[in-house]
Structures are given as C-alpha cells and as structure tokens.
Coordinates of all heavy atoms in Angstrom, one line a residue:
M1 N 90.8 95.2 97.9 CA 90.1 96.5 98.2 C 90.9 97.4 99.1 O 90.8 98.6 99.0 CB 88.7 96.1 98.8 CG 87.8 97.3 98.8 SD 87.3 97.7 97.1 CE 86.3 99.1 97.4
A2 N 91.7 96.7 100.0 CA 92.5 97.5 100.9 C 93.5 98.4 100.2 O 93.7 99.6 100.7 CB 93.2 96.6 101.9
W3 N 94.0 97.9 99.1 CA 95.0 98.8 98.4 C 94.3 100.0 97.7 O 94.9 101.0 97.7 CB 95.8 97.9 97.4 CG 96.8 97.1 98.1 CD1 96.7 95.8 98.5 CD2 98.1 97.6 98.6 NE1 97.8 95.4 99.2 CE2 98.7 96.5 99.3 CE3 98.7 98.8 98.6 CZ2 99.9 96.5 99.9 CZ3 100.0 98.9 99.2 CH2 100.6 97.8 99.8
I4 N 93.1 99.8 97.3 CA 92.4 100.9 96.7 C 92.1 101.9 97.8 O 92.2 103.1 97.6 CB 91.1 100.4 96.0 CG1 91.4 99.6 94.8 CG2 90.2 101.6 95.6 CD1 90.3 98.8 94.2
Y5 N 91.7 101.4 99.0 CA 91.4 102.4 100.1 C 92.7 103.1 100.4 O 92.7 104.3 100.7 CB 91.0 101.6 101.3 CG 89.6 101.1 101.3 CD1 89.3 99.9 101.9 CD2 88.6 101.7 100.6 CE1 88.0 99.4 101.9 CE2 87.3 101.2 100.6 CZ 87.0 100.1 101.2 OH 85.7 99.6 101.2
L6 N 93.8 102.4 100.4 CA 95.1 103.0 100.7 C 95.5 104.1 99.7 O 96.0 105.2 100.1 CB 96.2 102.0 100.9 CG 97.5 102.5 101.4 CD1 97.4 103.1 102.8 CD2 98.5 101.3 101.5
I7 N 95.3 103.8 98.4 CA 95.6 104.8 97.4 C 94.7 106.0 97.6 O 95.1 107.2 97.5 CB 95.5 104.2 96.0 CG1 96.6 103.2 95.8 CG2 95.5 105.2 94.9 CD1 96.4 102.3 94.6
L8 N 93.4 105.8 97.8 CA 92.5 106.9 98.1 C 92.9 107.7 99.3 O 92.9 109.0 99.3 CB 91.1 106.4 98.2 CG 90.4 105.9 97.0 CD1 89.0 105.2 97.3 CD2 90.2 107.0 96.0
A9 N 93.4 107.0 100.3 CA 93.8 107.7 101.5 C 95.0 108.6 101.2 O 95.1 109.8 101.6 CB 94.2 106.7 102.6
G10 N 96.0 108.1 100.4 CA 97.1 108.9 100.0 C 96.7 110.1 99.1 O 97.3 111.2 99.3
L11 N 95.8 109.9 98.2 CA 95.3 111.0 97.4 C 94.6 112.1 98.2 O 94.8 113.3 98.0 CB 94.4 110.5 96.2 CG 95.1 109.6 95.2 CD1 94.1 109.0 94.2 CD2 96.2 110.3 94.5
F12 N 93.8 111.7 99.2 CA 93.2 112.7 100.0 C 94.1 113.4 100.9 O 94.0 114.5 101.3 CB 92.0 112.0 100.8 CG 90.8 111.9 100.0 CD1 90.3 110.6 99.7 CD2 90.1 113.0 99.6 CE1 89.1 110.5 99.0 CE2 88.9 112.9 98.8 CZ 88.4 111.6 98.5
E13 N 95.2 112.6 101.3 CA 96.2 113.3 102.1 C 96.9 114.4 101.3 O 97.2 115.5 101.8 CB 97.3 112.3 102.6 CG 98.3 113.0 103.6 CD 99.6 112.3 103.6 OE1 99.9 111.5 102.8 OE2 100.4 112.7 104.5
M14 N 97.2 114.1 100.1 CA 97.8 115.0 99.2 C 96.9 116.2 99.0 O 97.3 117.4 99.0 CB 98.0 114.4 97.8 CG 98.8 115.3 96.8 SD 99.0 114.4 95.2 CE 97.4 114.6 94.5
T15 N 95.6 116.0 98.9 CA 94.6 117.1 98.8 C 94.7 118.0 100.1 O 94.6 119.2 100.0 CB 93.2 116.5 98.6 OG1 93.1 115.7 97.5 CG2 92.1 117.6 98.5
G16 N 94.7 117.3 101.2 CA 94.8 118.1 102.5 C 96.1 119.0 102.5 O 96.0 120.1 102.9
V17 N 97.2 118.4 102.0 CA 98.5 119.2 102.0 C 98.4 120.3 101.1 O 98.8 121.5 101.4 CB 99.6 118.2 101.6 CG1 100.9 119.0 101.4 CG2 99.9 117.2 102.7
V18 N 97.8 120.1 99.9 CA 97.6 121.2 98.9 C 96.7 122.3 99.5 O 97.0 123.5 99.4 CB 97.0 120.7 97.6 CG1 96.6 121.8 96.7 CG2 98.1 119.8 96.9
M19 N 95.7 121.9 100.3 CA 94.8 122.9 100.9 C 95.5 123.6 102.0 O 95.1 124.8 102.3 CB 93.5 122.2 101.4 CG 92.6 121.8 100.2 SD 92.0 123.2 99.2 CE 92.9 122.8 97.7
I20 N 96.4 123.0 102.7 CA 97.2 123.7 103.7 C 97.9 124.9 103.0 O 97.9 126.0 103.5 CB 98.2 122.8 104.4 CG1 97.5 121.9 105.4 CG2 99.2 123.7 105.2 CD1 98.4 120.8 106.0
N21 N 98.5 124.6 101.9 CA 99.2 125.7 101.2 C 98.3 126.8 100.7 O 98.5 128.0 100.9 CB 100.0 125.1 100.0 CG 100.9 126.1 99.3 OD1 101.6 126.8 100.0 ND2 100.9 126.1 98.0
K22 N 97.1 126.4 100.2 CA 96.1 127.3 99.7 C 95.6 128.1 100.9 O 95.4 129.4 100.7 CB 95.0 126.6 99.0 CG 94.1 127.5 98.2 CD 93.2 126.7 97.2 CE 92.2 127.6 96.5 NZ 92.8 128.3 95.4
F23 N 95.3 127.5 102.0 CA 94.8 128.2 103.1 C 95.8 129.2 103.7 O 95.5 130.3 104.1 CB 94.4 127.2 104.2 CG 93.8 127.9 105.4 CD1 92.5 128.5 105.4 CD2 94.5 128.0 106.6 CE1 92.0 129.1 106.5 CE2 94.0 128.6 107.7 CZ 92.7 129.2 107.7
H24 N 97.1 128.8 103.6 CA 98.1 129.7 104.1 C 98.2 130.9 103.2 O 98.5 132.0 103.7 CB 99.5 128.9 104.0 CG 100.6 129.8 104.5 ND1 100.8 130.2 105.8 CD2 101.7 130.3 103.8 CE1 101.9 130.9 105.9 NE2 102.4 131.0 104.7
Q25 N 97.9 130.8 101.9 CA 98.0 131.9 101.0 C 96.8 132.8 101.0 O 96.9 134.0 100.9 CB 98.2 131.4 99.5 CG 99.5 130.7 99.3 CD 99.6 130.1 97.9 OE1 98.6 129.9 97.2 NE2 100.8 129.8 97.5
E26 N 95.6 132.2 101.1 CA 94.3 132.9 101.0 C 93.5 133.2 102.2 O 92.7 134.1 102.3 CB 93.4 132.3 99.9 CG 94.1 132.2 98.5 CD 93.3 131.4 97.5 OE1 92.1 131.1 97.8 OE2 93.8 131.2 96.4
K27 N 93.7 132.3 103.2 CA 92.9 132.4 104.5 C 91.4 132.5 104.3 O 90.8 133.4 104.8 CB 93.5 133.5 105.3 CG 94.9 133.5 105.6 CD 95.2 133.0 107.0 CE 96.6 133.2 107.4 NZ 97.5 132.2 107.0
N28 N 90.8 131.7 103.5 CA 89.4 131.7 103.3 C 88.8 130.4 103.9 O 89.5 129.4 104.1 CB 89.0 132.0 101.9 CG 89.5 130.9 101.0 OD1 89.6 129.7 101.3 ND2 89.8 131.3 99.7
W29 N 87.5 130.4 104.1 CA 86.8 129.3 104.8 C 86.7 128.1 103.8 O 86.7 126.9 104.3 CB 85.5 129.7 105.4 CG 84.4 130.1 104.4 CD1 84.2 131.3 103.9 CD2 83.5 129.2 103.7 NE1 83.2 131.3 103.0 CE2 82.7 130.0 102.9 CE3 83.3 127.8 103.8 CZ2 81.7 129.5 102.1 CZ3 82.3 127.3 103.0 CH2 81.5 128.1 102.2
Q30 N 86.6 128.3 102.5 CA 86.5 127.2 101.6 C 87.8 126.4 101.6 O 87.7 125.1 101.6 CB 86.3 127.7 100.1 CG 85.0 128.4 99.9 CD 85.1 129.9 100.0 OE1 86.0 130.4 100.6 NE2 84.1 130.6 99.4
S31 N 88.9 127.0 101.7 CA 90.2 126.3 101.8 C 90.3 125.5 103.1 O 90.7 124.3 103.1 CB 91.4 127.2 101.7 OG 91.4 127.8 100.4
L32 N 89.8 126.1 104.1 CA 89.8 125.4 105.4 C 88.9 124.2 105.4 O 89.2 123.1 105.9 CB 89.4 126.4 106.6 CG 89.3 125.8 108.0 CD1 90.7 125.3 108.4 CD2 88.8 126.8 108.9
V33 N 87.7 124.3 104.8 CA 86.8 123.2 104.7 C 87.4 122.1 103.9 O 87.3 120.9 104.3 CB 85.4 123.7 104.2 CG1 84.5 122.5 103.8 CG2 84.7 124.6 105.2
L34 N 88.0 122.4 102.8 CA 88.6 121.4 101.9 C 89.8 120.8 102.6 O 90.0 119.6 102.4 CB 89.0 122.0 100.6 CG 87.8 122.4 99.6 CD1 88.3 123.1 98.4 CD2 87.1 121.1 99.2
L35 N 90.5 121.5 103.4 CA 91.6 121.0 104.1 C 91.1 119.9 105.1 O 91.6 118.8 105.2 CB 92.3 122.1 104.9 CG 93.6 121.9 105.7 CD1 94.3 123.2 105.9 CD2 93.4 121.2 107.0
L36 N 90.1 120.3 105.9 CA 89.6 119.4 106.9 C 88.9 118.2 106.2 O 89.1 117.0 106.7 CB 88.6 120.1 107.8 CG 89.2 121.2 108.7 CD1 88.1 122.0 109.4 CD2 90.2 120.7 109.7
A37 N 88.2 118.4 105.1 CA 87.6 117.3 104.4 C 88.6 116.3 103.8 O 88.5 115.1 103.9 CB 86.7 117.8 103.3
G38 N 89.7 116.9 103.3 CA 90.8 116.1 102.7 C 91.4 115.2 103.8 O 91.6 114.0 103.6
F39 N 91.8 115.7 104.9 CA 92.4 114.9 105.9 C 91.4 114.0 106.6 O 91.8 112.8 106.9 CB 93.1 115.8 107.0 CG 94.4 116.3 106.5 CD1 94.6 117.7 106.3 CD2 95.5 115.4 106.2 CE1 95.9 118.1 105.9 CE2 96.7 115.9 105.8 CZ 96.9 117.2 105.6
T40 N 90.2 114.4 106.7 CA 89.2 113.4 107.3 C 89.0 112.2 106.4 O 89.0 111.1 106.9 CB 87.8 114.2 107.5 OG1 88.0 115.3 108.4 CG2 86.8 113.2 108.0
A41 N 88.8 112.5 105.1 CA 88.7 111.4 104.1 C 89.9 110.5 104.1 O 89.9 109.3 104.1 CB 88.4 111.9 102.8
S42 N 91.1 111.2 104.2 CA 92.3 110.4 104.2 C 92.4 109.5 105.4 O 92.7 108.3 105.2 CB 93.5 111.4 104.2 OG 94.7 110.7 104.3
F43 N 92.1 110.0 106.6 CA 92.2 109.1 107.8 C 91.1 108.0 107.7 O 91.3 106.9 108.2 CB 92.1 109.9 109.0 CG 93.4 110.6 109.4 CD1 93.5 112.0 109.4 CD2 94.5 109.9 109.7 CE1 94.6 112.6 109.7 CE2 95.7 110.5 110.0 CZ 95.8 111.9 110.0
L44 N 90.0 108.3 107.2 CA 88.9 107.3 107.0 C 89.4 106.2 106.1 O 89.3 105.0 106.5 CB 87.6 108.0 106.5 CG 86.5 107.0 106.2 CD1 85.9 106.4 107.4 CD2 85.4 107.7 105.3
F45 N 89.9 106.5 105.0 CA 90.3 105.4 104.1 C 91.6 104.7 104.6 O 91.7 103.5 104.4 CB 90.6 106.0 102.7 CG 89.3 106.3 101.9 CD1 88.9 107.6 101.6 CD2 88.5 105.2 101.5 CE1 87.8 107.8 100.9 CE2 87.4 105.4 100.8 CZ 87.0 106.7 100.5
L46 N 92.4 105.4 105.3 CA 93.6 104.8 105.9 C 93.1 103.7 107.0 O 93.6 102.6 107.0 CB 94.6 105.8 106.5 CG 95.8 105.2 107.2 CD1 96.7 104.5 106.2 CD2 96.6 106.3 107.9
T47 N 92.1 104.1 107.7 CA 91.6 103.2 108.7 C 91.0 102.0 108.1 O 91.2 100.8 108.5 CB 90.5 103.9 109.5 OG1 91.0 105.1 110.2 CG2 89.8 103.0 110.6
L48 N 90.3 102.2 107.0 CA 89.7 101.0 106.3 C 90.8 100.1 105.7 O 90.7 98.9 105.7 CB 88.8 101.5 105.1 CG 87.5 102.2 105.6 CD1 86.8 102.8 104.4 CD2 86.6 101.3 106.3
A49 N 91.8 100.7 105.2 CA 93.0 99.9 104.6 C 93.7 99.1 105.7 O 94.1 98.0 105.4 CB 93.9 100.9 103.9
M50 N 93.8 99.7 106.8 CA 94.6 99.1 107.9 C 93.8 97.9 108.6 O 94.4 97.2 109.4 CB 95.0 100.1 109.0 CG 96.1 101.0 108.4 SD 96.6 102.3 109.6 CE 97.3 101.3 110.9
K51 N 92.6 97.7 108.2 CA 91.8 96.5 108.7 C 92.4 95.3 108.1 O 92.4 94.2 108.8 CB 90.4 96.6 108.3 CG 89.6 97.6 109.1 CD 88.1 97.6 108.8 CE 87.4 98.6 109.6 NZ 85.9 98.6 109.4
T52 N 93.1 95.3 107.0 CA 93.7 94.1 106.4 C 95.2 94.2 106.1 O 95.9 93.2 106.1 CB 93.0 93.7 105.1 OG1 93.0 94.8 104.2 CG2 91.5 93.2 105.4
L53 N 95.6 95.5 105.9 CA 97.1 95.6 105.6 C 97.9 95.9 106.9 O 97.3 96.5 107.8 CB 97.3 96.8 104.7 CG 96.7 96.7 103.3 CD1 96.9 98.0 102.5 CD2 97.3 95.6 102.5
P54 N 99.1 95.4 106.9 CA 99.9 95.7 108.1 C 100.2 97.2 108.3 O 100.3 97.9 107.3 CB 101.3 95.0 107.8 CG 101.0 94.2 106.6 CD 99.8 94.6 105.9
M55 N 100.2 97.6 109.6 CA 100.3 99.0 109.9 C 101.5 99.7 109.2 O 101.4 100.8 108.7 CB 100.4 99.2 111.4 CG 100.5 100.7 111.8 SD 100.9 100.9 113.5 CE 102.6 100.4 113.5
G56 N 102.7 99.0 109.3 CA 103.9 99.6 108.8 C 103.8 99.8 107.3 O 104.3 100.9 106.8
T57 N 103.3 98.8 106.6 CA 103.2 99.0 105.1 C 102.2 100.0 104.8 O 102.5 100.9 103.9 CB 102.8 97.6 104.5 OG1 103.8 96.6 104.8 CG2 102.6 97.7 103.0
A58 N 101.0 100.0 105.4 CA 100.0 101.0 105.1 C 100.5 102.4 105.4 O 100.3 103.3 104.6 CB 98.7 100.7 105.9
Y59 N 101.1 102.6 106.5 CA 101.6 104.0 106.9 C 102.7 104.4 105.9 O 102.6 105.6 105.5 CB 102.1 104.0 108.3 CG 102.5 105.4 108.7 CD1 101.6 106.4 108.9 CD2 103.9 105.7 108.9 CE1 101.9 107.7 109.3 CE2 104.2 107.0 109.2 CZ 103.3 108.0 109.4 OH 103.7 109.2 109.7
A60 N 103.6 103.6 105.6 CA 104.7 104.0 104.6 C 104.1 104.3 103.3 O 104.5 105.3 102.7 CB 105.7 102.8 104.6
V61 N 103.2 103.5 102.8 CA 102.7 103.8 101.4 C 101.8 105.0 101.5 O 101.9 105.9 100.6 CB 101.8 102.6 100.9 CG1 101.1 102.9 99.7 CG2 102.8 101.4 100.7
W62 N 101.0 105.2 102.5 CA 100.1 106.4 102.6 C 101.0 107.7 102.7 O 100.7 108.6 102.0 CB 99.3 106.3 103.9 CG 98.5 107.4 104.3 CD1 97.4 107.9 103.7 CD2 98.7 108.3 105.4 NE1 96.9 109.0 104.4 CE2 97.7 109.2 105.5 CE3 99.7 108.3 106.5 CZ2 97.6 110.2 106.4 CZ3 99.5 109.3 107.4 CH2 98.5 110.2 107.4
T63 N 102.1 107.6 103.5 CA 103.0 108.8 103.6 C 103.7 109.0 102.2 O 103.8 110.1 101.8 CB 104.0 108.5 104.7 OG1 103.3 108.3 105.9 CG2 104.9 109.7 104.8
G64 N 104.1 107.9 101.6 CA 104.8 108.1 100.3 C 103.9 108.7 99.2 O 104.4 109.6 98.5
I65 N 102.7 108.3 99.1 CA 101.8 108.8 98.1 C 101.5 110.3 98.4 O 101.6 111.2 97.6 CB 100.4 108.1 98.1 CG1 100.6 106.7 97.6 CG2 99.4 108.8 97.3 CD1 99.4 105.8 97.7
G66 N 101.3 110.6 99.7 CA 101.0 112.0 100.1 C 102.3 112.9 99.9 O 102.2 114.0 99.3
A67 N 103.4 112.4 100.3 CA 104.6 113.2 100.1 C 105.0 113.5 98.7 O 105.3 114.6 98.3 CB 105.8 112.6 100.9
S68 N 105.1 112.4 97.9 CA 105.5 112.5 96.5 C 104.4 113.3 95.7 O 104.7 114.1 94.9 CB 105.8 111.2 95.9 OG 104.6 110.3 96.0
G69 N 103.1 113.0 96.0 CA 102.1 113.8 95.3 C 102.1 115.3 95.7 O 101.9 116.1 94.8
G70 N 102.4 115.6 96.9 CA 102.5 117.0 97.3 C 103.6 117.7 96.6 O 103.5 118.8 96.2
A71 N 104.8 116.9 96.5 CA 105.9 117.5 95.9 C 105.7 117.7 94.4 O 106.0 118.8 93.8 CB 107.1 116.6 96.1
L72 N 105.0 116.7 93.7 CA 104.7 116.9 92.3 C 103.7 118.0 92.1 O 103.9 118.8 91.1 CB 104.2 115.6 91.7 CG 105.2 114.4 91.6 CD1 104.5 113.1 91.2 CD2 106.2 114.8 90.6
W73 N 102.7 118.1 92.9 CA 101.8 119.2 92.8 C 102.4 120.6 92.9 O 102.1 121.5 92.2 CB 100.7 119.1 93.9 CG 99.5 119.9 93.7 CD1 99.4 121.3 94.0 CD2 98.3 119.6 93.0 NE1 98.1 121.7 93.6 CE2 97.5 120.7 93.0 CE3 97.8 118.4 92.5 CZ2 96.2 120.7 92.5 CZ3 96.5 118.4 91.9 CH2 95.7 119.6 91.9
G74 N 103.4 120.7 93.9 CA 104.1 121.9 94.0 C 104.9 122.3 92.8 O 105.0 123.4 92.4
M75 N 105.5 121.3 92.2 CA 106.3 121.5 90.9 C 105.4 121.9 89.8 O 105.7 122.9 89.0 CB 107.0 120.2 90.5 CG 108.2 119.8 91.4 SD 108.9 118.3 90.7 CE 109.9 117.8 92.1
I76 N 104.3 121.3 89.6 CA 103.4 121.5 88.5 C 102.6 122.8 88.7 O 102.5 123.6 87.7 CB 102.4 120.3 88.3 CG1 103.2 119.1 87.9 CG2 101.4 120.6 87.2 CD1 102.5 117.8 87.9
Y77 N 102.0 123.0 89.8 CA 101.1 124.2 90.0 C 101.6 125.4 90.7 O 101.1 126.4 90.7 CB 99.8 123.7 90.7 CG 99.0 122.7 89.8 CD1 99.0 121.3 90.1 CD2 98.3 123.2 88.7 CE1 98.4 120.4 89.3 CE2 97.6 122.3 87.9 CZ 97.7 120.9 88.2 OH 97.0 120.1 87.3
Y78 N 102.7 125.2 91.5 CA 103.2 126.3 92.3 C 104.6 126.7 91.8 O 105.3 127.5 92.5 CB 103.2 126.0 93.8 CG 101.8 125.9 94.3 CD1 101.2 124.7 94.6 CD2 101.0 127.0 94.4 CE1 99.9 124.6 95.1 CE2 99.7 126.9 94.9 CZ 99.2 125.7 95.2 OH 97.9 125.6 95.7
G79 N 105.1 126.2 90.7 CA 106.4 126.6 90.2 C 107.6 126.2 91.1 O 108.6 126.9 90.9
E80 N 107.5 125.2 91.9 CA 108.6 124.8 92.7 C 109.7 124.2 91.8 O 109.4 123.7 90.7 CB 108.2 123.9 93.8 CG 107.2 124.5 94.8 CD 106.7 123.5 95.9 OE1 107.1 122.4 95.9 OE2 105.9 124.0 96.7
S81 N 110.9 124.1 92.3 CA 112.0 123.6 91.6 C 111.7 122.2 91.0 O 111.2 121.3 91.7 CB 113.2 123.5 92.4 OG 114.3 122.8 91.8
K82 N 112.1 122.0 89.7 CA 112.0 120.7 89.0 C 113.3 120.1 88.8 O 113.6 119.4 87.9 CB 111.2 120.9 87.7 CG 109.8 121.4 87.8 CD 109.2 121.5 86.5 CE 107.8 122.1 86.6 NZ 107.7 123.5 86.8
D83 N 114.2 120.4 89.8 CA 115.6 119.8 89.7 C 115.5 118.3 89.6 O 114.7 117.7 90.2 CB 116.3 120.2 91.0 CG 117.8 119.8 90.9 OD1 118.1 118.7 91.3 OD2 118.6 120.6 90.5
W84 N 116.4 117.7 88.8 CA 116.4 116.3 88.5 C 116.6 115.5 89.8 O 116.1 114.4 90.0 CB 117.4 115.9 87.5 CG 118.9 116.0 87.9 CD1 119.7 117.1 87.8 CD2 119.6 115.0 88.6 NE1 120.9 116.8 88.4 CE2 120.9 115.6 88.9 CE3 119.4 113.7 89.1 CZ2 121.9 114.9 89.6 CZ3 120.4 113.0 89.7 CH2 121.6 113.6 90.0
R85 N 117.3 116.1 90.8 CA 117.5 115.4 92.0 C 116.2 115.2 92.8 O 115.9 114.2 93.4 CB 118.6 116.1 92.9 CG 120.0 115.9 92.2 CD 121.0 116.8 92.9 NE 120.6 118.2 92.6 CZ 121.4 119.2 92.8 NH1 122.5 119.1 93.4 NH2 121.0 120.4 92.5
R86 N 115.4 116.3 92.8 CA 114.1 116.2 93.4 C 113.2 115.1 92.8 O 112.6 114.3 93.5 CB 113.3 117.5 93.4 CG 114.0 118.6 94.2 CD 113.1 119.9 94.2 NE 112.0 119.6 95.2 CZ 110.9 120.3 95.2 NH1 110.7 121.2 94.4 NH2 110.0 120.0 96.1
I87 N 113.2 115.1 91.5 CA 112.5 114.1 90.8 C 113.0 112.7 91.0 O 112.2 111.7 91.2 CB 112.4 114.4 89.2 CG1 111.7 115.7 89.0 CG2 111.8 113.3 88.4 CD1 111.8 116.3 87.6
F88 N 114.3 112.6 91.1 CA 114.9 111.3 91.4 C 114.5 110.8 92.8 O 114.1 109.6 92.9 CB 116.5 111.4 91.4 CG 117.2 110.2 91.9 CD1 117.3 109.1 91.1 CD2 117.8 110.2 93.1 CE1 117.9 107.9 91.5 CE2 118.5 109.1 93.6 CZ 118.5 107.9 92.8
F89 N 114.5 111.6 93.8 CA 114.1 111.2 95.1 C 112.6 110.9 95.2 O 112.2 110.1 96.0 CB 114.6 112.2 96.2 CG 116.1 112.1 96.4 CD1 116.9 113.2 96.0 CD2 116.7 111.0 96.9 CE1 118.3 113.1 96.2 CE2 118.0 110.8 97.0 CZ 118.9 111.9 96.7
I90 N 111.8 111.7 94.5 CA 110.4 111.3 94.4 C 110.2 109.9 93.9 O 109.4 109.1 94.4 CB 109.6 112.4 93.6 CG1 109.6 113.7 94.4 CG2 108.2 111.9 93.3 CD1 109.1 114.9 93.6
C91 N 111.0 109.6 92.8 CA 110.9 108.3 92.2 C 111.3 107.2 93.2 O 110.7 106.1 93.3 CB 111.7 108.2 91.0 SG 111.1 109.2 89.6
L92 N 112.3 107.6 94.0 CA 112.7 106.6 95.1 C 111.6 106.3 96.1 O 111.4 105.2 96.5 CB 113.9 107.1 95.8 CG 115.3 107.0 95.1 CD1 116.4 107.6 96.0 CD2 115.6 105.6 94.7
V93 N 110.9 107.4 96.5 CA 109.8 107.2 97.4 C 108.7 106.4 96.8 O 108.2 105.4 97.4 CB 109.2 108.6 97.8 CG1 107.9 108.5 98.6 CG2 110.2 109.4 98.6
L94 N 108.3 106.6 95.5 CA 107.3 105.8 94.9 C 107.8 104.4 94.7 O 107.0 103.5 94.8 CB 106.9 106.5 93.5 CG 106.2 107.8 93.6 CD1 106.0 108.4 92.2 CD2 104.8 107.6 94.3
G95 N 109.1 104.2 94.3 CA 109.6 102.9 94.2 C 109.6 102.1 95.4 O 109.3 100.9 95.5
A96 N 109.9 102.8 96.5 CA 109.8 102.1 97.9 C 108.4 101.7 98.2 O 108.1 100.6 98.7 CB 110.4 103.0 98.9
A97 N 107.4 102.5 97.9 CA 106.0 102.2 98.1 C 105.6 101.0 97.3 O 104.9 100.1 97.8 CB 105.1 103.4 97.8
I98 N 106.0 101.0 96.0 CA 105.7 99.9 95.1 C 106.4 98.6 95.7 O 105.8 97.5 95.7 CB 106.1 100.2 93.7 CG1 105.2 101.3 93.1 CG2 106.0 98.9 92.8 CD1 105.6 101.9 91.8
G99 N 107.6 98.8 96.1 CA 108.3 97.6 96.7 C 107.6 97.0 97.9 O 107.5 95.8 98.1
L100 N 107.1 97.9 98.7 CA 106.3 97.4 99.9 C 105.1 96.6 99.5 O 104.7 95.6 100.1 CB 105.9 98.6 100.8 CG 107.1 99.1 101.7 CD1 106.6 100.4 102.4 CD2 107.5 98.1 102.7
K101 N 104.5 97.1 98.4 CA 103.3 96.4 97.9 C 103.7 95.0 97.4 O 103.0 94.0 97.6 CB 102.7 97.2 96.7 CG 101.7 96.5 95.8 CD 100.4 96.1 96.4 CE 99.4 95.5 95.4 NZ 99.2 94.2 95.6
L102 N 104.8 94.9 96.7 CA 105.3 93.7 96.1 C 105.7 92.7 97.2 O 105.4 91.5 97.0 CB 106.4 93.9 95.1 CG 106.1 94.7 93.9 CD1 107.3 95.0 93.1 CD2 105.0 94.0 93.1
V103 N 106.3 93.1 98.3 CA 106.7 92.1 99.3 C 105.7 92.0 100.4 O 105.8 91.0 101.2 CB 108.1 92.5 99.9 CG1 109.1 92.6 98.8 CG2 108.0 93.8 100.7
G104 N 104.7 92.9 100.5 CA 103.8 92.8 101.6 C 102.5 92.3 101.1 O 101.6 91.8 101.7

C-alpha cells in the first residue's frame, strides 16, 4: 500500500507543479486552490508512504515522479521542447525510481 501512496503523492506533486504554471499565467483563485490542494494531498500521501518506506527511497521516487511528470506535461500541453535528450533524461529519472523500488 505504501507504494500506491507514494505514486499518488508523486501524481499530486505533479498536479501542484502544473497549477503553479497555470497560476503564474492566469492569476485566478481556482488555480491557487488547486495548487494548494495538489501539494497538500501530495504531502499527505508522502507522509503515509514514509510510515513504511525508507525516507531516502520515498523522497527520491516522489521527486522523480513529480519532476518527470511535470516535464512530460510541459511537453504535451505547453509545447515545450521534445528534444530526444530531454526524453532520454526523463527516462533516466524514471529508471532510477524503478531501480530504487527494485532494490528497496
């Protein structure tokens, strides 16, 4: 169950990051509420995951999901560069997160 909490934490972190971008562009209260809700849910699920997972593994995987998810979201929805090197390094981040799951 801890890994499910950790994946949810990463997905909500990605939501918070996306809402930072949206809030920066539109400056409306809906984006601010979603930003705060995303990060609140993210920290809540990260806390639940860290009850059984080691801190270093949980933090690395949480950060990896959020960082790579935010980068992919930017490529898909905001027209950011889809250079193969960016995709390669996103794959490395995801591979490292999967590696931590396999050894941890």
